[in-house]
Amino acid sequence: MASVETAAEHERILREIESTDTNCIGPTLRSVYDGQEHGLFMDKLDARIRNHDREIEKMCNHHFQGFVDSITELLKVRGEAQKLKSQVIETNRRLQDDGKELITSMEELRQCRVQQRNIATTIDKLTHCLPVLEMYSRLQEQMRAKRYYPALRTLEQLEHTCLPRAGQYRFCSIMAENIPKLRTQIRDTAMTQLRDFLESIRKHSDKIGETAMKQAQLQRSLDSSMCVQPRALIGQRSRREAAAAMTGTDSDGQGGSPLSEQDSGILDVENEEEDDVPGAQDLVDFSPVYRCLHIYTVLGLRDVFENYYRKQRRKQARLVLQPHSNMHETLEGYRRYFNQIVGFFVVEDHVLHTTQGLVNRAYVEELWELALSKIVAALRTHSSYCDNPDLVLDLKNLIVLFADTLQGYGFPVSQLFDMLLEMREQYGEILLKRWNITFRQVLDQDNYSPIPVSTEQEYRQYTSQFPLQDPELEKLPFPKKLPFSEFVPKVYCQLKEFIYACLKYSEDLHLSSTEVDDMIRKSTNLLLTRTLSHCLQYGIKKKNVGLAELVQVIINTTHLEQSCHFLEEFISNITNVPPDTANATKLYGTSTFKDARHAAEAEIYTNLNTKIDQFLQLADYNWMTAVQGSGALTTSDYLIDLIAFLKSTFSVFTNLPGTPVEHATLPGKVAQTACMSACKHISTSMLQLLLDPEVRQISMGALHQLNTDVKECESFARAGPVAGFQGDTLLLAFSDLRQLLDLFTQWDWSTYLADYGKPTCRYLRVNPHTALALLEKMRETSRKNNVFAQFRKTDRDRQKLIDTVIKQLRNLIASQHHT
């Protein structure tokens, strides 16, 4: 069984050797050598080789005859092959001879085809290189012409389109290396032009603002006659052109620069017609801004450009908003300040509307909020230095124009109008100061005399200045006198001028008629109650103002008081607010003039008493004079002069020279009060002469002399120097002195002491203290006389009597204290 398996295995190996490539029989032979039947396999292999040799031999024997026949045929063919070879060689020779010319022609054709191929290649390369060179040449021309935005567009096209097509050439490499440098040069040049532009508009912002404010003023002047053109149309043509330039390109497809390619700056408009005011935006060439914006956008640096522009403009805003230290001195200083601010924001507004995102609304509003706070603070500070109402009014008009101009560009300006309302108080104070000077000048220049008028024209002139309505005066023939002095029409005209000045300030402040009316009335009340009142007090208290002048002041203030309702009507007419409107402020003119009149009346009383004191100072009584006969006593000289003065003065009070009585008398009971006051003062002063501590002794003769003077005063009072007193009312001023003198001259002490305290007492007005003081002075006189006449019984009795009366008076006084 094992031999059969071995034989089968050897057979398989032999078949594998026969069928396998000799390079792969190694493993097969190894398996033979690894086995135990190596010799048996070699036997079988030899048997197989012998078998194959027998088969090869059989095959060779089978094909040998064919091989012999083939050799025989081959030998026959060799001769023919030699003949054929000779023919082929000959034919080849002839062919070579004949093809030499063709080969020459073919070589020439080959060379021509090579040249054609080279020419075509050259043309193709030149086709790609020539646009590069042309583009680069155009770039150089644009750089020389300072057309940087088209140059940048050309540079982009050269870098991304033309150079990649041209291939790797040295000049292309040089161009590619120069492109970043050119880009940097364009960027730096554009930034330089932008800096020049920013510097230019900083220097010329006042001119831009001046033009914008002229436009606003012209627009406002046209509002009353035609519809207001929206602010958006102002400079609309410029904005359309700018917007078209931002998105448009050159006709040759290479891109163009916004607006013009000229240097930045303010355009020349000096030759413009004066009536044709150019738009504020038309004054400025904004192309550097647009150009730089586009260049930085193309370079991918738009954010850098926006930040730089905004930063620089913020710096310029701070410079513009910084006022000059002497701005408050002239209106031109304020105008230049406002022009610069308007110019700044006109430029920013134009940039906002003509660029996409360079500045946005939030940025502009932030700048405006900053500016508004600084403007208001600066105006509050500088306007506080101003003391000229005309300058304040011009400043207010300038601020209104400034606010209207910026409001037309969409900026909120309510704070400016609020500040103008604050300035209104300052303006009112300045007006009050000016009118204080004016009123004082009017007072100083007034002659305190009724105004003489000799013709109808003069009369109408004064009545047109002051609302005098007096039918009786109109009936009088010329020449005649107006009851008041020049002070009245001048003051009335100045009051109207003040009202006009207040009205001028309220114009264009967007106030209602009621607010304007209330403002004017409050300011006028301040003028009346504070300024005019103080001036009247000043005029009344002046040293050189006499009684006649004070009388005229009273007459003047009376007429001014009567004119107050005309002022009310005047204010209502110019404000179109009825005077009976609810909550309407009333004028305090009536009380002002009443107070002034009362002050003048009090001053009359004071001056009159002062004048009386001056006369009384001339009194030179001999308090030790002896008793003389009644016929020998005469009125003292000083009192005669005093009575004459009083008569003259009271005649002035009741009838000014050359003026009808009904138009020149003092109002009310001023004259009566003055007369009563003068008489009381005379009586009190004469009593004080008796009680003067320096007068230690008084004789009965001196009392008789004083009694004579008092009788003269009573005669003056009884004559009625001023009409209007009932009965002997004026005599009551001397009743105290009269009863005292009667008591002493009649020596009626028994009656006085018996009836003291009774309502029917004859000497009811005699004070026991006064009587005691006078008696003591008389006792001193008696004692002195008794030194020389102590042995005369009459004098001794009189001295005893005086002592007795003094003792009784003291007891009377003491009893009053106890009760």
Side-chain angles (χ1 to χ4, degrees), residues 456-470:
E456 180 73 19
Q457 183 179 0
E458 288 183 339
Y459 182 79
R460 296 304 171 195
Q461 178 183 353
Y462 283 107
T463 54
S464 65
Q465 297 175 2
F466 180 78
L468 176 64
Q469 295 180 349
D470 192 338

Side-chain angles (χ1 to χ4, degrees), residues 300-316:
L301 299 173
R302 183 185 177 98
D303 291 342
V304 175
F305 175 74
E306 289 180 1
N307 293 333
Y308 176 81
Y309 177 85
R310 295 183 185 186
K311 182 179 179 181
Q312 293 302 314
R313 290 297 279 166
R314 280 195 180 94
K315 289 182 180 179
Q316 291 187 353

Side-chain angles (χ1 to χ4, degrees), residues 568-586:
E568 294 263 9
E569 293 177 359
F570 175 72
I571 295 175
S572 298
N573 290 335
I574 65 175
T575 60
N576 295 321
V577 176
D580 55 352
T581 303
N583 301 324
T585 304
K586 301 301 180 182

Side-chain angles (χ1 to χ4, degrees), residues 763-774:
Y763 304 104
L764 185 64
R765 293 180 177 273
V766 177
N767 188 304
H769 292 277
T770 304
L772 178 61
L774 190 55

Side-chain angles (χ1 to χ4, degrees), residues 128 131-132 135-136 139 151-167 172 175-177 179-180 183 295 297-300:
H128 291 89
V132 174
M135 195 72 68
Y136 195 79
L139 174 63
L152 189 61
R153 295 285 296 274
T154 303
L155 197 63
E156 294 294 319
Q157 191 174 357
L158 178 66
E159 182 180 21
H160 296 102
T161 304
C162 297
L163 284 178
R165 293 178 183 175
C172 291
M175 289 181 183
E177 292 174 359
I179 284 176
R183 202 175 268 125
I295 288 172
T297 301
V298 172
L299 294 175

